Amino acid sequence: MSGSSFGKVFKISTFGESHGKAIGVVIDGCPAGLKLDIEKIQKDLDRRRPGQSKITTQRKEGDICHILSGVFEDVTEGTPIGMVIYNEDQKSKDYDHIKDKYRPSHADFTFDVKFGVRDYRGGGRSSARETAARVAAGSVAKQLLATAGIDIHAYVSQVGNIFLEKNYQEVDFDLIESNIVRCPDEETAEKMIQLITQMRKEGDTIGGVLTCVIKGVPVGLGEPVFDKLHADLAKAMMSINATKGFEYGSGFEGTQLKGSEHNDIFYKDEDGQIKTKTNRSGGIQGGISNGMDIYFKVAFKPVATIMKVQESLDVNGDEVEVSGRGRHDPCVLPRAVPIVEAMTALVLADHWLRNRSSKL
Amino acid sequence: MSGSSFGKVFKISTFGESHGKAIGVVIDGCPAGLKLDIEKIQKDLDRRRPGQSKITTQRKEGDICHILSGVFEDVTEGTPIGMVIYNEDQKSKDYDHIKDKYRPSHADFTFDVKFGVRDYRGGGRSSARETAARVAAGSVAKQLLATAGIDIHAYVSQVGNIFLEKNYQEVDFDLIESNIVRCPDEETAEKMIQLITQMRKEGDTIGGVLTCVIKGVPVGLGEPVFDKLHADLAKAMMSINATKGFEYGSGFEGTQLKGSEHNDIFYKDEDGQIKTKTNRSGGIQGGISNGMDIYFKVAFKPVATIMKVQESLDVNGDEVEVSGRGRHDPCVLPRAVPIVEAMTALVLADHWLRNRSSKL
Amino acid sequence: MSGSSFGKVFKISTFGESHGKAIGVVIDGCPAGLKLDIEKIQKDLDRRRPGQSKITTQRKEGDICHILSGVFEDVTEGTPIGMVIYNEDQKSKDYDHIKDKYRPSHADFTFDVKFGVRDYRGGGRSSARETAARVAAGSVAKQLLATAGIDIHAYVSQVGNIFLEKNYQEVDFDLIESNIVRCPDEETAEKMIQLITQMRKEGDTIGGVLTCVIKGVPVGLGEPVFDKLHADLAKAMMSINATKGFEYGSGFEGTQLKGSEHNDIFYKDEDGQIKTKTNRSGGIQGGISNGMDIYFKVAFKPVATIMKVQESLDVNGDEVEVSGRGRHDPCVLPRAVPIVEAMTALVLADHWLRNRSSKL
Amino acid sequence: MSGSSFGKVFKISTFGESHGKAIGVVIDGCPAGLKLDIEKIQKDLDRRRPGQSKITTQRKEGDICHILSGVFEDVTEGTPIGMVIYNEDQKSKDYDHIKDKYRPSHADFTFDVKFGVRDYRGGGRSSARETAARVAAGSVAKQLLATAGIDIHAYVSQVGNIFLEKNYQEVDFDLIESNIVRCPDEETAEKMIQLITQMRKEGDTIGGVLTCVIKGVPVGLGEPVFDKLHADLAKAMMSINATKGFEYGSGFEGTQLKGSEHNDIFYKDEDGQIKTKTNRSGGIQGGISNGMDIYFKVAFKPVATIMKVQESLDVNGDEVEVSGRGRHDPCVLPRAVPIVEAMTALVLADHWLRNRSSKL
C-alpha cells in the first residue's frame, strides 16, 4: 500500500519522477472560498528551485506551476486543486553511467529490491524534485492558514560545524531571505556560505539543521492520542529527503533537566490570555497547541551525491566505481527552507480543519 | 477528526481514560493464522505496569489483558482482535484537588480548550495509562514480526546527565532486563538508579533517552514518499507521552559530517548479501529498509508531575498553587521501554503487510 | 487490508464473533459535549435483540451495552467511546454438526478459503450478531443528529409478496412500533405476520424490503465525487447482512420516465425556503442533500438457515446433508429496522461533521 | 472533508472541472511491474467520449490521455500514475444563460449552498466529464486484473420501457460493441436506438439500466464486515452521476423467494472446484467472492438537461425559465458502459490487493 498521500482533511497526493514528463499534486480538501494569490505559490517554488544561487545546484528548472482545477476566478471551489510542474531541464544522459549501479547512501538499491524496477534517471521518484509539488501545495496551505493568523518561519540554524548562536526569539525573520543561505544573521550566514563553497570545491557536501517557528497558532490543534501535533510535524519533517532527526521545544537537551526546571508555569497576560512564562513545551502540551510559539529543529544529512570517486556495487552485485556527474547541491539546507515551511503548513492546515469537529 | 487510530493495514484503535471503566484496543488487520502466545502479551504489559520496582510509581494496576475477539483456539482469525484492560486501582480522589486547576506542562489546559470538557481524573485520555493498550497491541505485532525473523530491542541509554557510553553494537541485549532501569550496562544502570532515587527523594523528576534497535528487517519496507519507514517511526515515537525528539542513524550528530565521511559503502558479504560497510543510514535508505540494523533514539522530558509546590492558574484564570499527590514516576524511561518496542512493532507490522502490494 | 471500520470523521470499528466472549465497537470521532441518554442506546439494542417476539428467533441475548470510555458524567469527552456487549446465550453446541460443513448461501466456504481458519460457532464474524455493535454506535449517532434536527424512520414495506401499498408520505411513523413486524399499517402488518408464521412452520424463510426516511437534513451533506450521500448510504446498507439491493428516490422505476417527467421543479415555500414540488431526487442532488426528505429502499434476501434438509459439501469437498438447528429468524426484516436506522445515522453523522470543512 | 478519492490500496484521486483547464487522476497503489498497453486506455476513453455516435451528445472532446508519471518504458514503477486529459471543446458560453439559475434536478443548488461558490460552466465538478478520469484509471485497473484472469463486461439491458429479455448467461459479450447503444442483442438494440432518437427529437431524455458481469474472480475477495465486495461495488456504482439504484444476484426480485428456493447448493465440478448449482448469491457470499460469476444491475435516471422550457428559481430565489442549450445526451446509458466497467475494475483491483494481507 503506497504512501504518496499526506493529511486527512487537507489531504495531498503527489506524483511524478525526476525525469518523467511532470511532477504534480492534487489537494483534496481545501475549503471553498479561499482567495488564492497564484504569484505567492510561484514565489515559494522559486525559493526551492535549483540554480537560484552560487551555492545551490546549477540545474535550470523553471518550475512553473500550472493550476488545472479547483480554482475559479482565483477563488477555491472546494473541489480538488490539481497542480502540475513540467520537467524541463532533464539531462537524463547525466545518469546513463549509473543506470546499473547502486550509488552509496541513495535509494537505488532499496527501490530496486522493493519494486523490481527502477527509474535510474535522476533518482526517479526518490529524487528531492518531488518536493516541488509539496511546496506548491504547502503554499496553498499557507494562504489558508494566513486567514487564521498563522504564520510560519523556517531558517538555517546550522551548517556543518557552524552554529547560529541565537535562539529563535532573538532572530529577525525578515533577515532570512537577505542572504543565499537563509540564515537570519549576516555574520553566521557568511561563514556558512564559505563552508558550502569550500565543500563544492572539494566535490564534497555537508549537512546541517533547520529551525522552524510557527506563530499565531490558536489553542486546540492536535488530536490525541496518535495524531499529536508534534507527532504529525515529526512525520512531515522526516518524510523530507535527507532528514535524520526532529526535536521540538526543549528537545534532546531538555532530557537533562529536572521536572522543576522544565515545567512551564501558566500566567495570565495583560489581555487576559493564558500563557506560559517559559516555553520548553514548544507550544504543544499533550499533543495539542497551547497558543505559545511552536518551534522545532530538523536535521539534514550531507547530500549523498559527491563528485569524488566511491566504491560500490552494480545491480549484479559486482564491484564498481561511482562518481557524481551533473549538477548537484553541495548542501541541501538553503533550498530545504521552503520545503520545511510547506510541510509545516500542510500539517497545520490539516489540523486546523480537523479541529472543527472536536466539539458539538 | 479524531486521532486514536494508528496504522493503515495493521491498524489499531485505542480507547479509554485513566480512571474510566477500562482501556482497550481493537486491532483491525492482523492476518489470519498467527499462533498467539497470550502469556507474552501479559509479560509485555507487566514490563510497562506501574509498581514493578522501587524507581517507578507505586500505583498497583494489575493490567490484565482480556482478549474479547479475533482469536479462536489461540490462532488469529483475520478478524478484529478486541482487547480490554480494566482499570482497577483508581484513586480518583487523588485528583479532586486539581479538578479545577491546570497543572503545569500537562494537557489540562489544552484539553479543556479543545474539547470544552475535561476528565480531570488522572489526566483522563491524556494519561500515559493509554499506552498499556498500545503495549498489548504491539505484543501481537511483535509475534507477527517474529514469524519473519524481525526482532526489536529498546533500552535506556541516558537518564539526566548519565549517558551509556556504548553504541548499540557494543550492547548485550540480554542485559536489558537485568536491572530495573533497563540499561544494558551494570555500572551505568547503577548510576541511573541512584539519580532517579535522588529525584524521587527531592520530589522531582528527570528525563532521558531511549535507544531502539531492530534486527532482521528484510529489504523493502517503507513507502515513498510520505510513509518513509523512519517518518512513520518518528510519528510513532512522538505520539508517546512526554517525547521531545527523534533521530535515527547518524542523527543530529551526522549533520556535521561531509558526504564523503557519511556515505555508507556497499559490499557483498560472504553469503552474497548486499550490505553496507558502515551504517550511518540507520538501516533505511530513501525511506526503505536496506537490510541493515535499524536504530534510533527517542528523547523523553522529565515527568511533569512533581511533588513540589508550583504556581499555576485554575479554569477561571485565577492564580493557584499546585502540587502532585498520589503515586507518580520520578522518571518515565524504564517503563517507556516496552512502549517504544510496541510502537516500533506496530510500525514494522504495518509496513511488512503494506509491502505485500508493492509488486505485481 | 481489513474492513471492520466505517466512516471517516465519525468513525467506528466493530469487533467480535458470534460466540466469542463479546462483541463491541469503538467510536472515534464523536464530538465532545453531547449529552448521552444511555437508555436510548439500550432501547435500540432491544429492538434488534433476538427473542423479542414470536416471529423472531427465540435465542435469548440480553445485549446489555457497557460503555467503557469516552463518556464522563453522561457527556461525551471527544475521546473514543468504547462499548462492549458480552455474549451470553451462546449454544455453541448447536453448531457442532456444521463444524466441517459448508452451509448453503452462508459465508462458511468463502471465509474458509479467504482466511484459512473458520470460527464455525454461529457464523463467527459473519454472523449478524455483529450488527448489535452497529446499533449501539448508531444510537449515539442518532443522538448527535437529533441536536441538528435530523430524524430517521425505517419500516418494513414488503415481506415476500406482501407489499405495503402506501408511499412514505402516507405513512404514520408512530405506527412502526405498534406491531411486531414493524410495518406501519395494521392490515398489511397482519398479513406479513401470517406469512412469516407460516414460513416458520414450514421450516422455511422469506425475504423482503425496508423503506427508510430521513427528515430534517440540512442542505449540503454529501461529498463529491465519490462520497456522494447516496453512495455512502448504499454502501452502508449493502454492508448489512443479507442485503441484495438499494435504491433511492425514484429508484429502478424512475428509469422508465422521461427527463421532463422526472425532473423536480424548484419553488420557494411560504418561509422563503427553496424546495422542490416533487421529490424524485430523493432529497439528494449531485450527491448532496437538498433539504427535502431523503428516502430509500433496501432489499433483504430470505435467511439462508432453513430447517429443511439441504445437500451440500464439507471442507473436504465431500457431499453431506445440512439442516438448521437452534433458533433462527424466519424473516430478518423486523429486526433489521434498527440496523438500517443505525447505519443511516452513522452515514449522516459522518457527513454532518465532514461538511464542517467545506467552506472557509 | 472532501470525497474525491476512492479505494484503499489501489487508490485514485480525481480532479478537474468540466470547463477548467484539464481533468485528471492520480493512481496511488498500482503495483510495480505491470506492462501497460496505453492504447487500451485510449480505447476505453473513446468508448466514453462524447460525439461517438448519433445517439450521444455531439460535443467534440478528444479526451487524449497524457500519462505524466509512474510508468517507465511502458511498465508501472510502483509510484503514483498521474494522468491528465485536457479540456478542449469547451463552449463555456453555452452556459452563460444559466449562470445565476438553478437547473432542475441538477447539482447547481446544492453545490451553491454547500460551497458558497459555483462553477456554472458545464456543471463544473458535478459534470459527468469527471468520469473520463475514472475511465482512464479503471483501464489501468482492468489491465492489472487481466493478469489474474479477471474480466469485466457491462452492457445496456434496459432503456425506458425497452427491456433486454435475456439473462446474462444468454448474452454474447462480443456483441456489446456491435451497436451504438451497447446492448448485446440486435433487435432490442434497434428498439432502444429508436426510442433514444425519438427522445432527442422531442428534446427530452430517458433513463435505463446497465448490467455488469465479472468473470474469473478468485474466491476470497471482499473484506468483512463493512467492505463487503458488493457493498463496495454498490458505492462505486452509486458514485457515478445519475445512478438511482443497485442490485446484485437475485436483487429486489429475490426478496419474494423462500430460503429453500433462494439458497445456492454447493457441488464439486469436474475439475474438483467447489461451485454452486444456481447463482442467486451473485458470486458473493458473506461479502466475499465465491468464485462464481459476479453480476449486478445499475439504474440510471433520465438526463436532467432537456431542451424543453422548465420553470425554476435563480440564485436570488426569483422565478425564472430554464431550457437546455448546447449539446447533451438524450440517454446516458451507452456512454455509461465504460464508466461502470471502470468503477468495477477499481473495486476489484483494490480488493485483489487488499486480500494479500488476509493470511499469514
Side-chain angles (χ1 to χ4, degrees), chain A residues 282-295:
Chain A
I284 303 172
Q285 292 180 324
I288 300 170
S289 60
N290 70 354
M292 301 295 291
D293 296 335
I294 294 174
Y295 63 100

Side-chain angles (χ1 to χ4, degrees), chain D residues 43-73:
Chain D
K43 219 167 169 179
D44 272 334
L45 282 168
D46 291 345
R47 292 169 71 216
R48 197 215 70 96
R49 195 166 53 82
Q52 60 183 279
S53 81
K54 64 178 182 181
I55 59 169
T56 65
T57 166
Q58 296 304 303
R59 286 195 309 276
K60 299 272 182 251
E61 293 166 10
D63 285 1
I64 306 300
C65 175
H66 301 270
I67 297 183
L68 302 182
S69 68
V71 181
F72 183 47
E73 296 171 349

Side-chain angles (χ1 to χ4, degrees), chain A residues 231-280:
Chain A
D232 277 354
L233 285 168
K235 165 150 181 172
M237 295 309 130
M238 299 305 284
S239 78
I240 300 173
N241 307 48
T243 53
K244 300 298 285 188
F246 170 90
E247 61 176 14
Y248 82 106
S250 62
F252 275 90
E253 263 189 42
T255 62
Q256 302 191 39
L257 295 180
K258 300 180 184 178
S260 58
E261 296 165 338
H262 192 277
N263 283 352
D264 295 314
I265 301 303
F266 288 111
Y267 76 102
K268 220 180 342 185
D269 73 4
E270 52 265 41
D271 302 326
Q273 297 295 308
I274 293 181
K275 304 274 179 190
T276 60
K277 295 184 181 175
T278 49
N279 185 17
R280 292 182 198 96

Side-chain angles (χ1 to χ4, degrees), chain C residues 70-134:
Chain C
V71 181
F72 183 46
E73 296 171 349
D74 286 343
V75 175
T76 59
E77 303 184 65
T79 58
I81 302 173
M83 298 195 280
V84 164
I85 299 166
Y86 292 96
N87 293 327
E88 296 167 356
D89 186 38
Q90 315 144 334
K91 301 206 173 170
S92 299
K93 290 212 172 146
D94 280 353
Y95 297 92
D96 278 356
H97 70 293
I98 54 108
K99 184 176 174 175
D100 297 318
K101 297 178 183 174
Y102 295 139
R103 291 168 297 164
S105 288
H106 270 93
D108 299 345
F109 168 62
T110 52
F111 263 66
D112 216 1
V113 174
K114 182 179 186 70
F115 296 114
V117 298
R118 175 161 67 100
D119 184 348
Y120 58 85
R121 304 163 306 163
R125 182 73 180 152
S126 74
S127 165
R129 172 141 188 78
E130 179 267 343
T131 58
R134 304 184 186 201

